[in-house]
Amino acid sequence: MTEAGLGARDAPAAAAPDIRIAGCASWLPPRTAVADAVAAGLCDEALATATGMVSVAVAHDEPAPEMAARAARTALGRSGFDDVSLILHASFFYQGHDLWAPASYVQRTAVGNQCPAIEVGQVSNGGMAALGLAVDHLRSGPASGELDRRVLVTTGDAFRPPGFDRWRSDSGTFYGDGGTALVLSSREGFARIRGLATVSAPELEGMHRGEDPFGHAPFSHRPVVDLDACKKDFLATRRVTQVIAASAAAQDAAVERALAGAGVTLADVDRFVLPHLGRKRLRAGHLARFGIAEERTTWQWSRGVGHLGAGDQIAGFDHLVGSGGLGSGDLVVWMSVGAGFTYSCAVVEMLERPDWAATTNREGVV
């Protein structure tokens, strides 16, 4: 997967094509207030206060792949493209059917072509993992007879009971439903990917497995996802300091490689798109660690949306662009982490504000 610079700042890329973002979009259902969840006994009040979350997006009947397809249609419309050469669909939780290919559903309902359509895992890092695969596909260059290669990346999740409790399955993070989409091109677009890296720390894979035995079917050991129980079991036989060190080393490596590939430092970055975690987790894992001011992130928006599984980074970027929060020359860093564990970082440079974006004064838009 790509871990190299994709062009120096203020200079054209020589060794590799300029990977462009031609379109992006999100489809999010109505919000449910955290206060209402607390009042209904769905969420502990003290935990809700600690997270700083205001609301989460909650789907009614919309299937996860359908929300992804809706975002895809909007992103394709914004890009001006009617075809792509690869479709990558990333997800976190159940997609609505067993032994089924949701990427093909997105392809049929949003594109209608016959290119490869592939599902990507990596849980919360799925969107960024798909981005890395998309970049590799684009960097290989157009096939014979092609003028351009284009990739559609989608994410879609709905965190529904009985298998998942959006308020309690992962304490400190409240989960939201929705779909996102990103259209990439090797020739056209309003932004370009300057650097991208993904680093794995497989010694931590047991963090979301704990001491649970391998099952023969989904939810054969416990009926509801309980990441806290798995984490407790995992940490019971390991030194917490070593676990933290392994996580930090992998995260640091991903950030350092992406920044080096782009030829920039964190001080050069204008905005940050971070995972939609509760405030306590966000501060510990990102803000304090990298010296990022909260106002330079999408926090004020994401605290009303919830963790979108694999889609936080695309959704956050789409929000910044669509709300008028970014303009030509701005640098945006996307950071992500997923069970496994894998850590990703991307450096994106705005080339121009697309026609569909708001022209609101950029000060205070998020």
Side-chain angles (χ1 to χ4, degrees):
M1 188 177 291
T2 298
E3 290 192 3
L6 302 177
R9 193 172 196 177
D10 302 323
D18 217 10
I19 307 303
R20 305 288 185 98
I21 296 175
C24 56
S26 302
W27 193 92
L28 303 177
R31 314 301 196 262
T32 293
V34 172
D36 291 344
V38 171
L42 300 175
C43 176
D44 178 73
E45 185 174 6
L47 177 61
T49 300
T51 66
M53 297 293 292
V54 175
S55 61
V56 298
V58 178
H60 180 53
D61 292 324
E62 297 87 355
E66 174 57 27
M67 292 188 284
R70 293 178 186 182
R73 288 190 285 269
T74 299
L76 286 166
R78 289 172 172 178
S79 73
F81 300 155
D82 58 8
D83 200 8
V84 295
S85 53
L86 177 66
I87 298 169
L88 299 168
H89 175 69
S91 63
F92 183 124
F93 195 57
Y94 189 60
Q95 295 291 286
H97 291 279
D98 303 313
L99 299 177
W100 178 65
S104 296
Y105 176 88
V106 173
Q107 180 176 32
R108 182 182 66 81
T109 60
V111 186
N113 66 1
Q114 293 183 315
C115 75
I118 301 170
E119 189 173 9
V120 179
Q122 288 312 118
V123 203
S124 293
N125 203 35
M128 292 288 278
L131 176 62
L133 295 172
V135 167
D136 286 343
H137 175 76
L138 293 171
R139 291 189 69 178
S140 67
S144 177
E146 291 181 334
L147 295 177
D148 182 16
R149 277 195 164 185
R150 302 161 181 170
V151 180
L152 171 64
V153 172
T154 64
T155 75
D157 269 300
F159 298 97
R160 294 188 169 101
F164 201 98
D165 184 337
R166 72 177 71 250
W167 309 106
R168 301 181 189 274
S169 280
D170 186 10
S171 64
T173 299
F174 295 159
Y175 284 68
D177 306 333
T180 74
L182 193 69
V183 180
L184 299 114
S185 164
S186 57
R187 292 173 61 94
E188 305 174 46
F190 64 87
R192 63 172 174 157
I193 299 175
R194 291 274 305 276
L196 176 63
T198 293
V199 177
S200 294
E203 64 269 34
L204 303 180
E205 61 82 19
M207 186 83 76
H208 283 195
R209 178 171 54 84
E211 296 302 319
D212 290 359
F214 284 91
H216 298 293
F219 303 102
S220 58
H221 179 67
R222 60 179 80 241
V224 183
V225 172
D226 188 346
L227 297 182
D228 289 347
C230 294
K231 184 185 301 183
K232 182 179 179 180
D233 287 346
F234 180 78
L235 294 177
T237 58
R238 292 162 179 82
R239 292 183 180 179
V240 175
T241 53
Q242 292 179 337
V243 171
I244 293 174
S247 173
Q251 184 181 33
D252 288 347
V255 173
E256 290 167 4
R257 293 178 191 180
L259 292 172
V264 301
T265 67
L266 284 177
D268 298 317
V269 178
D270 298 288
R271 302 305 295 267
F272 292 84
V273 177
L274 306 177
H276 297 182
L277 309 176
R279 178 175 263 147
K280 184 177 180 180
R281 282 186 169 181
L282 188 66
R283 284 176 173 169
H286 296 83
L287 303 182
R289 288 204 68 240
F290 296 102
I292 301 171
E294 193 176 275
E295 58 268 21
R296 297 173 67 196
T297 75
T298 56
W299 163 253
Q300 289 300 328
W301 173 76
S302 68
R303 68 190 299 221
V305 174
H307 180 40
L308 300 173
D312 288 354
Q313 291 68 37
I314 299 175
F317 180 69
D318 174 63
H319 167 70
L320 286 177
V321 175
S323 64
L326 296 173
S328 177
D330 283 348
L331 286 179
V332 188
V333 160
W334 306 4
M335 293 185 188
S336 181
V337 54
F341 270 55
T342 60
Y343 303 79
S344 292
C345 181
V347 181
V348 177
E349 180 185 6
M350 288 289 291
L351 301 177
E352 61 184 0
R353 180 178 288 168
D355 294 341
W356 49 266
T359 56
T360 308
N361 187 313
R362 290 162 55 206
E363 296 301 320
V365 294
V366 295

